[in-house]
Short mmCIF file of all heavy atoms in Angstrom, two decimals:
data_model
loop_
_atom_site.label_atom_id
_atom_site.label_comp_id
_atom_site.label_asym_id
_atom_site.label_seq_id
_atom_site.Cartn_x
_atom_site.Cartn_y
_atom_site.Cartn_z
N MET B 129 106.22 104.63 80.40
CA MET B 129 105.21 104.01 81.22
C MET B 129 105.96 103.36 82.36
O MET B 129 106.79 102.46 82.14
CB MET B 129 104.40 103.04 80.34
CG MET B 129 103.26 102.34 81.21
SD MET B 129 101.76 103.49 81.46
CE MET B 129 100.77 102.52 82.34
N ALA B 130 105.58 103.67 83.58
CA ALA B 130 106.22 103.03 84.80
C ALA B 130 105.83 101.57 84.82
O ALA B 130 104.70 101.20 84.50
CB ALA B 130 105.81 103.76 86.02
N ARG B 131 106.78 100.81 85.40
CA ARG B 131 106.42 99.42 85.63
C ARG B 131 105.44 99.39 86.81
O ARG B 131 105.43 100.29 87.61
CB ARG B 131 107.64 98.52 85.92
CG ARG B 131 108.60 98.42 84.73
CD ARG B 131 109.60 97.34 84.91
NE ARG B 131 110.66 97.78 85.94
CZ ARG B 131 111.52 97.02 86.47
NH1 ARG B 131 111.65 95.67 86.07
NH2 ARG B 131 112.38 97.41 87.22
N THR B 132 104.72 98.27 86.88
CA THR B 132 103.69 98.05 88.00
C THR B 132 104.14 96.96 88.97
O THR B 132 104.60 95.92 88.54
CB THR B 132 102.32 97.67 87.29
OG1 THR B 132 101.94 98.62 86.40
CG2 THR B 132 101.29 97.52 88.48
N ALA B 133 104.22 97.39 90.22
CA ALA B 133 104.40 96.40 91.22
C ALA B 133 103.21 95.67 91.69
O ALA B 133 102.06 96.24 91.62
CB ALA B 133 105.10 97.15 92.44
N TRP B 134 103.35 94.47 91.99
CA TRP B 134 102.20 93.55 92.39
C TRP B 134 102.60 92.79 93.55
O TRP B 134 103.64 92.20 93.68
CB TRP B 134 101.88 92.69 91.16
CG TRP B 134 100.82 91.69 91.41
CD1 TRP B 134 99.39 91.87 91.44
CD2 TRP B 134 100.93 90.30 91.81
NE1 TRP B 134 98.84 90.68 91.75
CE2 TRP B 134 99.66 89.69 91.95
CE3 TRP B 134 102.09 89.47 91.92
CZ2 TRP B 134 99.48 88.39 92.37
CZ3 TRP B 134 101.89 88.19 92.31
CH2 TRP B 134 100.65 87.56 92.44
N VAL B 135 101.55 92.61 94.46
CA VAL B 135 101.85 91.90 95.75
C VAL B 135 100.91 90.61 95.69
O VAL B 135 99.79 90.61 95.45
CB VAL B 135 101.41 92.72 96.95
CG1 VAL B 135 101.54 91.81 98.33
CG2 VAL B 135 102.24 93.96 97.09
N ASP B 136 101.59 89.59 95.94
CA ASP B 136 100.94 88.13 96.13
C ASP B 136 100.40 88.11 97.58
O ASP B 136 101.10 87.83 98.49
CB ASP B 136 101.85 87.02 95.85
CG ASP B 136 101.17 85.66 95.98
OD1 ASP B 136 100.04 85.62 96.43
OD2 ASP B 136 101.83 84.69 95.63
N LYS B 137 99.18 88.48 97.72
CA LYS B 137 98.54 88.61 99.03
C LYS B 137 98.51 87.18 99.74
O LYS B 137 98.36 87.27 100.94
CB LYS B 137 97.14 89.22 98.94
CG LYS B 137 97.15 90.65 98.42
CD LYS B 137 95.81 91.26 98.60
CE LYS B 137 95.82 92.68 98.13
NZ LYS B 137 94.59 93.42 98.40
N GLU B 138 98.45 86.18 98.95
CA GLU B 138 98.47 84.86 99.63
C GLU B 138 99.77 84.57 100.48
O GLU B 138 99.80 83.98 101.53
CB GLU B 138 98.39 83.73 98.57
CG GLU B 138 97.11 83.72 97.79
CD GLU B 138 95.86 83.36 98.72
OE1 GLU B 138 95.98 82.43 99.48
OE2 GLU B 138 94.87 83.99 98.56
N GLN B 139 100.86 85.26 100.01
CA GLN B 139 102.09 85.11 100.64
C GLN B 139 102.41 86.17 101.71
O GLN B 139 103.18 86.02 102.68
CB GLN B 139 103.24 85.04 99.66
CG GLN B 139 103.08 83.97 98.59
CD GLN B 139 103.19 82.60 99.13
OE1 GLN B 139 103.92 82.32 99.99
NE2 GLN B 139 102.41 81.74 98.54
N CYS B 140 101.89 87.34 101.61
CA CYS B 140 102.20 88.47 102.39
C CYS B 140 101.83 88.20 103.85
O CYS B 140 100.72 87.72 104.12
CB CYS B 140 101.34 89.65 101.78
SG CYS B 140 101.58 91.18 102.93
N ILE B 141 102.71 88.64 104.71
CA ILE B 141 102.53 88.39 106.14
C ILE B 141 102.22 89.76 106.87
O ILE B 141 102.12 89.80 108.14
CB ILE B 141 103.72 87.67 106.86
CG1 ILE B 141 105.04 88.58 106.64
CG2 ILE B 141 103.88 86.30 106.18
CD1 ILE B 141 106.23 88.15 107.34
N GLY B 142 102.01 90.87 106.05
CA GLY B 142 101.60 92.07 106.72
C GLY B 142 102.57 92.68 107.59
O GLY B 142 102.22 93.43 108.48
N CYS B 143 103.89 92.61 107.33
CA CYS B 143 104.96 93.07 108.11
C CYS B 143 105.23 94.60 108.07
O CYS B 143 105.73 95.23 108.87
CB CYS B 143 106.34 92.43 107.89
SG CYS B 143 107.02 92.85 106.35
N GLU B 144 104.60 95.10 107.02
CA GLU B 144 104.65 96.68 106.72
C GLU B 144 105.93 97.16 106.25
O GLU B 144 106.02 98.42 106.18
CB GLU B 144 104.07 97.37 107.91
CG GLU B 144 102.60 97.16 108.13
CD GLU B 144 102.07 98.08 109.26
OE1 GLU B 144 101.75 99.23 108.80
OE2 GLU B 144 101.94 97.70 110.33
N LEU B 145 106.90 96.32 106.06
CA LEU B 145 108.18 96.94 105.58
C LEU B 145 108.06 97.69 104.31
O LEU B 145 108.65 98.76 104.13
CB LEU B 145 109.26 95.78 105.33
CG LEU B 145 110.06 95.33 106.61
CD1 LEU B 145 110.97 94.10 106.22
CD2 LEU B 145 110.98 96.39 107.01
N CYS B 146 107.36 97.08 103.30
CA CYS B 146 107.14 97.70 102.05
C CYS B 146 106.27 99.04 102.29
O CYS B 146 106.62 100.08 101.56
CB CYS B 146 106.45 96.87 101.05
SG CYS B 146 104.86 96.27 101.49
N VAL B 147 105.34 98.86 103.13
CA VAL B 147 104.50 100.22 103.38
C VAL B 147 105.35 101.35 104.00
O VAL B 147 105.25 102.57 103.56
CB VAL B 147 103.39 99.76 104.33
CG1 VAL B 147 102.60 101.12 104.69
CG2 VAL B 147 102.50 98.85 103.66
N ASN B 148 106.24 101.02 104.89
CA ASN B 148 107.19 101.96 105.59
C ASN B 148 108.19 102.43 104.50
O ASN B 148 108.68 103.57 104.66
CB ASN B 148 107.79 101.44 106.79
CG ASN B 148 106.76 101.15 107.90
OD1 ASN B 148 105.85 101.84 108.01
ND2 ASN B 148 107.08 100.07 108.69
N THR B 149 108.67 101.68 103.65
CA THR B 149 109.65 102.01 102.63
C THR B 149 109.04 102.89 101.53
O THR B 149 109.72 103.89 101.26
CB THR B 149 110.26 100.74 102.09
OG1 THR B 149 110.86 100.03 103.07
CG2 THR B 149 111.52 101.15 101.02
N CYS B 150 107.92 102.52 101.09
CA CYS B 150 107.28 103.31 100.00
C CYS B 150 105.69 103.57 100.30
O CYS B 150 104.90 102.90 99.69
CB CYS B 150 107.33 102.47 98.75
SG CYS B 150 109.04 102.21 98.12
N PRO B 151 105.49 104.44 101.24
CA PRO B 151 104.08 104.63 101.66
C PRO B 151 103.25 105.23 100.48
O PRO B 151 102.04 105.12 100.60
CB PRO B 151 104.23 105.70 102.88
CG PRO B 151 105.55 106.24 102.73
CD PRO B 151 106.41 105.18 101.99
N GLY B 152 103.95 105.78 99.46
CA GLY B 152 103.17 106.34 98.40
C GLY B 152 102.71 105.25 97.34
O GLY B 152 102.08 105.53 96.40
N VAL B 153 103.25 104.03 97.54
CA VAL B 153 103.05 102.97 96.67
C VAL B 153 102.22 101.79 97.25
O VAL B 153 101.32 101.22 96.71
CB VAL B 153 104.43 102.40 96.13
CG1 VAL B 153 104.20 101.09 95.19
CG2 VAL B 153 105.22 103.44 95.41
N PHE B 154 102.67 101.42 98.52
CA PHE B 154 101.96 100.24 99.15
C PHE B 154 101.17 100.70 100.29
O PHE B 154 101.48 101.69 101.02
CB PHE B 154 103.07 99.24 99.67
CG PHE B 154 104.03 98.76 98.53
CD1 PHE B 154 105.27 99.23 98.34
CD2 PHE B 154 103.47 97.75 97.63
CE1 PHE B 154 105.97 98.67 97.30
CE2 PHE B 154 104.30 97.26 96.57
CZ PHE B 154 105.50 97.75 96.44
N ARG B 155 100.11 99.95 100.57
CA ARG B 155 99.32 100.17 101.86
C ARG B 155 98.77 98.82 102.20
O ARG B 155 98.71 97.95 101.43
CB ARG B 155 98.20 101.20 101.64
CG ARG B 155 97.22 100.68 100.62
CD ARG B 155 96.23 101.83 100.23
NE ARG B 155 95.33 101.44 99.21
CZ ARG B 155 94.45 102.24 98.44
NH1 ARG B 155 94.57 103.50 98.63
NH2 ARG B 155 93.82 101.68 97.40
N LEU B 156 98.35 98.72 103.54
CA LEU B 156 97.66 97.38 103.99
C LEU B 156 96.14 97.66 103.60
O LEU B 156 95.57 98.63 103.91
CB LEU B 156 97.89 97.26 105.42
CG LEU B 156 99.39 96.89 105.91
CD1 LEU B 156 99.41 96.50 107.31
CD2 LEU B 156 100.08 95.85 104.99
N ASP B 157 95.64 96.47 103.15
CA ASP B 157 94.24 96.49 102.84
C ASP B 157 93.46 96.17 104.18
O ASP B 157 94.11 95.89 105.17
CB ASP B 157 93.85 95.53 101.76
CG ASP B 157 94.11 93.98 102.12
OD1 ASP B 157 94.44 93.70 103.21
OD2 ASP B 157 94.14 93.19 101.12
N ALA B 158 92.14 95.93 104.07
CA ALA B 158 91.39 95.67 105.23
C ALA B 158 91.69 94.30 105.95
O ALA B 158 91.41 94.10 107.15
CB ALA B 158 89.95 95.65 104.86
N ASP B 159 92.35 93.38 105.22
CA ASP B 159 92.87 92.16 105.78
C ASP B 159 94.16 92.13 106.29
O ASP B 159 94.81 91.10 106.66
CB ASP B 159 92.57 91.10 104.71
CG ASP B 159 91.18 90.86 104.19
OD1 ASP B 159 90.34 90.96 105.01
OD2 ASP B 159 91.02 90.60 103.01
N GLY B 160 94.84 93.35 106.24
CA GLY B 160 96.18 93.48 106.80
C GLY B 160 97.27 92.97 105.78
O GLY B 160 98.41 92.61 106.15
N LYS B 161 96.84 92.89 104.56
CA LYS B 161 97.86 92.46 103.48
C LYS B 161 98.22 93.63 102.70
O LYS B 161 97.34 94.58 102.50
CB LYS B 161 97.21 91.41 102.49
CG LYS B 161 96.53 90.23 103.27
CD LYS B 161 97.71 89.29 103.64
CE LYS B 161 97.06 87.91 104.16
NZ LYS B 161 98.13 87.01 104.50
N SER B 162 99.42 93.74 102.29
CA SER B 162 99.91 94.80 101.38
C SER B 162 99.21 94.77 100.02
O SER B 162 99.07 93.64 99.49
CB SER B 162 101.42 94.74 101.26
OG SER B 162 101.83 95.73 100.39
N GLU B 163 99.04 95.98 99.42
CA GLU B 163 98.52 96.12 98.01
C GLU B 163 99.32 97.28 97.41
O GLU B 163 99.59 98.24 98.23
CB GLU B 163 97.15 96.33 97.86
CG GLU B 163 96.56 97.53 98.61
CD GLU B 163 95.17 97.53 98.60
OE1 GLU B 163 94.47 96.62 98.19
OE2 GLU B 163 94.61 98.59 99.15
N CYS B 164 99.63 97.24 96.15
CA CYS B 164 100.18 98.33 95.44
C CYS B 164 99.04 99.20 95.00
O CYS B 164 98.24 98.69 94.05
CB CYS B 164 101.03 97.80 94.27
SG CYS B 164 101.66 99.16 93.23
N TYR B 165 98.88 100.35 95.47
CA TYR B 165 97.79 101.25 95.05
C TYR B 165 98.27 102.33 94.04
O TYR B 165 97.47 102.99 93.42
CB TYR B 165 97.09 101.89 96.23
CG TYR B 165 97.78 102.89 97.07
CD1 TYR B 165 97.74 104.23 96.82
CD2 TYR B 165 98.85 102.49 97.97
CE1 TYR B 165 98.37 105.23 97.50
CE2 TYR B 165 99.47 103.42 98.68
CZ TYR B 165 99.26 104.79 98.44
OH TYR B 165 99.95 105.76 99.13
N ASP B 166 99.62 102.49 93.98
CA ASP B 166 100.06 103.57 92.97
C ASP B 166 101.55 103.26 92.74
O ASP B 166 102.43 103.63 93.40
CB ASP B 166 99.87 104.97 93.60
CG ASP B 166 100.30 106.02 92.53
OD1 ASP B 166 100.69 105.71 91.42
OD2 ASP B 166 100.24 107.16 92.90
N SER B 167 101.74 102.63 91.62
CA SER B 167 103.19 102.27 91.23
C SER B 167 103.96 103.49 90.84
O SER B 167 105.24 103.44 90.67
CB SER B 167 103.22 101.25 90.01
OG SER B 167 103.07 99.95 90.47
N THR B 168 103.34 104.67 90.65
CA THR B 168 104.05 105.82 90.34
C THR B 168 104.34 106.72 91.60
O THR B 168 104.84 107.79 91.53
CB THR B 168 103.30 106.71 89.28
OG1 THR B 168 102.09 107.19 89.88
CG2 THR B 168 102.97 105.97 88.06
N GLY B 169 104.04 106.12 92.74
CA GLY B 169 104.09 106.85 93.93
C GLY B 169 105.49 107.06 94.50
O GLY B 169 105.76 107.67 95.59
N ASP B 170 106.41 106.34 93.89
CA ASP B 170 107.92 106.51 94.33
C ASP B 170 108.65 105.96 93.13
O ASP B 170 108.23 105.61 92.14
CB ASP B 170 108.09 105.55 95.48
CG ASP B 170 109.25 106.18 96.46
OD1 ASP B 170 110.16 106.73 95.97
OD2 ASP B 170 109.20 105.78 97.64
N SER B 171 110.05 106.21 93.31
CA SER B 171 110.99 105.88 92.19
C SER B 171 111.08 104.33 92.14
O SER B 171 110.78 103.60 93.08
CB SER B 171 112.32 106.43 92.49
OG SER B 171 112.90 105.78 93.70
N GLU B 172 111.40 103.88 90.89
CA GLU B 172 111.54 102.49 90.68
C GLU B 172 112.62 101.85 91.64
O GLU B 172 112.61 100.74 92.18
CB GLU B 172 111.87 102.03 89.23
CG GLU B 172 110.71 102.16 88.30
CD GLU B 172 110.88 101.44 87.05
OE1 GLU B 172 111.93 100.77 86.90
OE2 GLU B 172 109.97 101.58 86.12
N GLY B 173 113.69 102.73 91.90
CA GLY B 173 114.70 102.34 92.83
C GLY B 173 114.22 101.97 94.19
O GLY B 173 114.60 101.04 94.89
N ASN B 174 113.44 102.87 94.71
CA ASN B 174 112.83 102.74 96.07
C ASN B 174 111.88 101.53 96.06
O ASN B 174 111.79 100.70 97.15
CB ASN B 174 112.09 103.92 96.61
CG ASN B 174 113.13 104.99 97.02
OD1 ASN B 174 114.26 104.73 97.25
ND2 ASN B 174 112.65 106.21 97.08
N ILE B 175 111.10 101.35 95.12
CA ILE B 175 110.21 100.21 94.98
C ILE B 175 111.07 98.91 94.88
O ILE B 175 110.72 97.91 95.58
CB ILE B 175 109.29 100.33 93.76
CG1 ILE B 175 108.31 101.44 93.94
CG2 ILE B 175 108.51 98.96 93.58
CD1 ILE B 175 107.40 101.78 92.63
N GLN B 176 112.16 98.90 94.13
CA GLN B 176 112.99 97.81 94.17
C GLN B 176 113.53 97.42 95.53
O GLN B 176 113.68 96.18 95.86
CB GLN B 176 114.19 98.04 93.12
CG GLN B 176 115.03 96.78 92.97
CD GLN B 176 114.24 95.63 92.36
OE1 GLN B 176 113.63 95.78 91.28
NE2 GLN B 176 114.32 94.42 93.06
N THR B 177 113.94 98.47 96.25
CA THR B 177 114.42 98.26 97.69
C THR B 177 113.37 97.61 98.45
O THR B 177 113.68 96.66 99.23
CB THR B 177 114.69 99.64 98.24
OG1 THR B 177 115.84 100.22 97.56
CG2 THR B 177 115.16 99.51 99.77
N ALA B 178 112.07 97.95 98.28
CA ALA B 178 111.02 97.34 99.06
C ALA B 178 110.85 95.86 98.62
O ALA B 178 110.67 94.95 99.44
CB ALA B 178 109.61 98.08 98.85
N ILE B 179 110.99 95.59 97.37
CA ILE B 179 110.94 94.28 96.83
C ILE B 179 112.02 93.48 97.44
O ILE B 179 111.80 92.27 97.80
CB ILE B 179 111.01 94.28 95.20
CG1 ILE B 179 109.65 94.84 94.65
CG2 ILE B 179 111.27 92.89 94.81
CD1 ILE B 179 109.75 95.03 93.13
N ASP B 180 113.19 93.95 97.51
CA ASP B 180 114.29 93.20 98.02
C ASP B 180 114.21 92.98 99.59
O ASP B 180 114.66 92.01 100.01
CB ASP B 180 115.57 93.96 97.80
CG ASP B 180 116.02 94.08 96.25
OD1 ASP B 180 115.43 93.25 95.48
OD2 ASP B 180 116.80 94.96 95.85
N MET B 181 113.54 93.87 100.24
CA MET B 181 113.48 93.85 101.75
C MET B 181 112.26 92.89 102.11
O MET B 181 112.28 92.31 103.30
CB MET B 181 113.07 95.16 102.33
CG MET B 181 114.24 96.14 102.22
SD MET B 181 113.75 97.68 102.84
CE MET B 181 113.19 97.40 104.56
N CYS B 182 111.30 92.59 101.26
CA CYS B 182 110.19 91.70 101.69
C CYS B 182 110.72 90.38 102.15
O CYS B 182 111.35 89.71 101.41
CB CYS B 182 109.23 91.68 100.46
SG CYS B 182 107.79 90.46 100.86
N PRO B 183 110.37 90.04 103.35
CA PRO B 183 110.89 88.77 103.90
C PRO B 183 110.31 87.52 103.33
O PRO B 183 111.01 86.57 103.44
CB PRO B 183 110.45 88.79 105.39
CG PRO B 183 109.31 89.78 105.48
CD PRO B 183 109.58 90.79 104.32
N VAL B 184 109.13 87.63 102.63
CA VAL B 184 108.73 86.37 101.89
C VAL B 184 108.73 86.60 100.38
O VAL B 184 108.26 85.76 99.68
CB VAL B 184 107.28 86.07 102.43
CG1 VAL B 184 107.38 85.74 103.82
CG2 VAL B 184 106.33 87.37 102.28
N SER B 185 109.41 87.51 99.96
CA SER B 185 109.60 87.80 98.51
C SER B 185 108.36 87.69 97.72
O SER B 185 108.24 86.99 96.65
CB SER B 185 110.66 86.72 97.96
OG SER B 185 111.81 86.91 98.68
N CYS B 186 107.33 88.44 98.21
CA CYS B 186 105.97 88.30 97.53
C CYS B 186 105.60 89.54 96.71
O CYS B 186 104.43 89.64 96.26
CB CYS B 186 104.94 88.01 98.63
SG CYS B 186 104.46 89.30 99.71
N ILE B 187 106.58 90.46 96.51
CA ILE B 187 106.38 91.59 95.64
C ILE B 187 106.98 91.38 94.28
O ILE B 187 108.24 90.98 94.38
CB ILE B 187 106.78 92.91 96.29
CG1 ILE B 187 106.33 93.11 97.71
CG2 ILE B 187 106.22 94.05 95.42
CD1 ILE B 187 106.85 94.21 98.38
N GLN B 188 106.42 91.51 93.26
CA GLN B 188 107.03 91.41 91.91
C GLN B 188 106.73 92.45 90.98
O GLN B 188 105.71 93.30 91.16
CB GLN B 188 106.39 90.18 91.27
CG GLN B 188 106.51 88.85 92.01
CD GLN B 188 105.60 87.82 91.53
OE1 GLN B 188 105.12 87.88 90.30
NE2 GLN B 188 105.33 86.75 92.28
N TRP B 189 107.56 92.69 89.93
CA TRP B 189 107.20 93.68 88.92
C TRP B 189 106.26 92.90 87.97
O TRP B 189 106.48 91.73 87.67
CB TRP B 189 108.44 94.07 88.14
CG TRP B 189 109.38 94.99 88.86
CD1 TRP B 189 110.62 94.61 89.40
CD2 TRP B 189 109.15 96.35 89.28
NE1 TRP B 189 111.13 95.84 89.97
CE2 TRP B 189 110.23 96.80 89.92
CE3 TRP B 189 108.06 97.20 89.06
CZ2 TRP B 189 110.31 98.12 90.47
CZ3 TRP B 189 108.13 98.51 89.66
CH2 TRP B 189 109.22 98.99 90.27
N LYS B 190 105.34 93.71 87.44
CA LYS B 190 104.49 93.03 86.43
C LYS B 190 104.48 93.98 85.18
O LYS B 190 104.35 95.28 85.32
CB LYS B 190 103.01 93.03 86.92
CG LYS B 190 102.82 91.88 87.82
CD LYS B 190 101.48 91.21 87.41
CE LYS B 190 101.42 89.80 87.99
NZ LYS B 190 100.06 89.12 87.89
N GLY B 191 104.66 93.41 84.06
CA GLY B 191 104.71 94.21 82.78
C GLY B 191 106.10 94.81 82.67
O GLY B 191 106.98 94.72 83.44
FE1 LIG H 255 103.79 91.91 102.88
FE2 LIG H 255 106.20 91.80 101.93
FE3 LIG H 255 105.07 94.22 102.26
FE4 LIG H 255 105.79 92.68 104.35
S1 LIG H 255 107.23 93.56 102.80
S2 LIG H 255 103.79 93.78 104.12
S3 LIG H 255 105.34 90.61 103.57
S4 LIG H 255 104.46 92.51 100.76
#
């Protein structure tokens, strides 16, 4: 079972770095905040890269 990534939308500034890094995993919602819509949409390594790149460190693994 793949781990699930989770975005704290209160902290997200909508910079789109995670969206550009893992477009199969993250997308911006109607409010311009990132959300994880498919944790299986990319490798855990690439998701970790997106987590590490987030300028406000608001993406976490859950579970
Ligand atoms: Fe939001 Fe972080 Fe993704 Fe930027 S990298 S859109 S701040 S979750």
